[in-house]
Amino acid sequence: MGFYVVIPARYASTRLPAKPLKDIAGKPMIQHVYERACQSDATKVIIATDDLRIEAVAKRFGAQICMTSATHNSGTDRLQEVAAQLGLGADDIVVNVQGDEPLIPPAVINQVAKNLAENRYASVATLSEPIYTLDDFRNPNIVKAVADQQGRALYFSRAPIPWPRDHFAQSQVNTLPDKFSAQRHIGIYAYRVALLNRFITWPQAALEQIESLEQLRVLANGEAIHIAEACAQVPGGVDTEADLLRVKALLER
């Protein structure tokens, strides 16, 4: 089963400007992501950017780059442009690996591509992992996911879902219930190119705007997303300076 990996990389991050080029253990962050992706079974790994500074750095470490429009509203729009530039077919699978995931295990890249290939009802596949602490459950920067028994995603939210009503009805509760299965969404996606081509024709959905989660545009338009628990632990990505320090400590160790 062949698939392509695209790593969207923006320079103008709101919370951490120049994020892809931040040094981690002697390499820019985007190089760590690229090298991890190259360890997967992908047919090809491409960095997609609209910034000449990122292009120059990526060329120095030998990456294939697609220069894309600076007007894209989302990483998914950027992916579609890359698929069009490469001339990919409607059934080809493209995996979006976030450019701020320098610790992404190659095994989960393979997993999400395989899950989409094996679940023909879905246009998109993604992954999740358990949430163990109340702080993470309540953290709006940690996106929660809920799925049905067949692995079809029902909803994604920054809010704590599902909400264990009876447990939290008790006073002074500061832990999650025993055997509670809240799931943190991991921001890796596999798409069929046909879905990417449809996605760019849809206006932003109301739920997408409310939650600032573009995967809700897919659900709002009646498309199915397959979600499964990741086969390996995926450390959090880099959104803030504190995240950067945490990842630096891990990689430098």
Side-chain angles (χ1 to χ4, degrees):
M1 179 202 70
F3 63 92
Y4 299 81
V5 168
V6 177
I7 306 170
R10 291 177 60 250
Y11 189 90
S13 170
T14 304
R15 285 183 285 182
L16 193 61
K19 182 165 61 171
L21 303 185
K22 295 293 185 184
D23 184 87
I24 301 175
K27 297 177 183 178
M29 178 162 59
I30 191 65
Q31 184 173 352
H32 287 282
V33 180
Y34 178 80
E35 290 175 352
R36 295 260 177 164
C38 286
Q39 293 170 31
S40 75
D41 296 333
T43 303
K44 191 174 290 186
V45 178
I46 304 106
I47 293 173
T49 187
D50 58 9
D51 192 275
L52 294 176
R53 291 161 291 193
I54 294 174
E55 179 194 32
V57 170
K59 280 184 174 179
R60 284 202 290 271
F61 60 78
Q64 179 175 344
I65 303 109
C66 273
M67 294 301 293
T68 57
S69 170
T71 62
H72 289 311
N73 293 320
S74 72
T76 312
D77 295 291
R78 199 175 306 279
L79 249 68
Q80 190 278 334
E81 183 182 352
V82 173
Q85 286 190 33
L86 296 176
L88 300 185
D91 284 334
D92 284 333
I93 291 174
V94 178
V95 177
N96 180 351
V97 174
Q98 301 286 0
D100 57 7
E101 294 273 1
L103 300 174
I104 188 82
V108 305
I109 299 174
N110 295 335
Q111 180 189 10
V112 75
K114 182 172 182 285
N115 287 352
L116 183 58
E118 292 179 349
N119 290 277
R120 295 297 305 176
Y121 73 82
S123 301
V124 182
T126 190
L127 299 173
S128 67
E129 64 184 12
I131 293 174
Y132 295 108
T133 71
L134 183 57
D135 285 345
D136 283 351
F137 185 54
R138 287 179 164 161
N139 185 346
N141 293 319
I142 293 176
V143 176
K144 275 66 69 175
V146 175
D148 69 15
Q149 294 179 359
Q150 285 71 48
R152 188 187 299 254
L154 297 174
Y155 195 60
F156 299 86
S157 183
R158 298 184 182 279
I161 59 170
W163 182 254
R165 184 198 64 176
D166 293 343
H167 177 76
F168 287 116
Q170 304 172 54
S171 61
Q172 298 182 331
V173 170
N174 58 9
T175 60
L176 293 173
D178 292 339
K179 300 180 181 178
F180 182 56
S181 59
Q183 293 284 311
R184 167 202 170 215
H185 177 227
I186 298 168
I188 182 171
Y189 298 93
Y191 299 92
R192 299 189 201 283
V193 170
L195 181 280
L196 293 174
N197 293 337
R198 292 194 293 274
F199 184 93
I200 64 168
T201 69
W202 299 329
Q204 278 195 314
L207 289 173
E208 174 190 5
Q209 292 174 321
I210 291 167
E211 297 259 20
S212 293
L213 297 173
E214 67 183 76
Q215 64 267 40
L216 293 177
R217 192 186 314 181
V218 177
L219 295 183
N221 282 276
E223 300 280 353
I225 299 177
H226 179 272
I227 186 166
E229 195 166 309
C231 63
Q233 184 177 7
V234 181
V238 177
D239 289 319
T240 64
E241 190 69 33
D243 293 334
L244 182 63
L245 294 174
R246 170 180 54 81
V247 171
K248 277 185 174 183
L250 287 169
L251 285 175
E252 288 171 357
R253 209 166 50 223

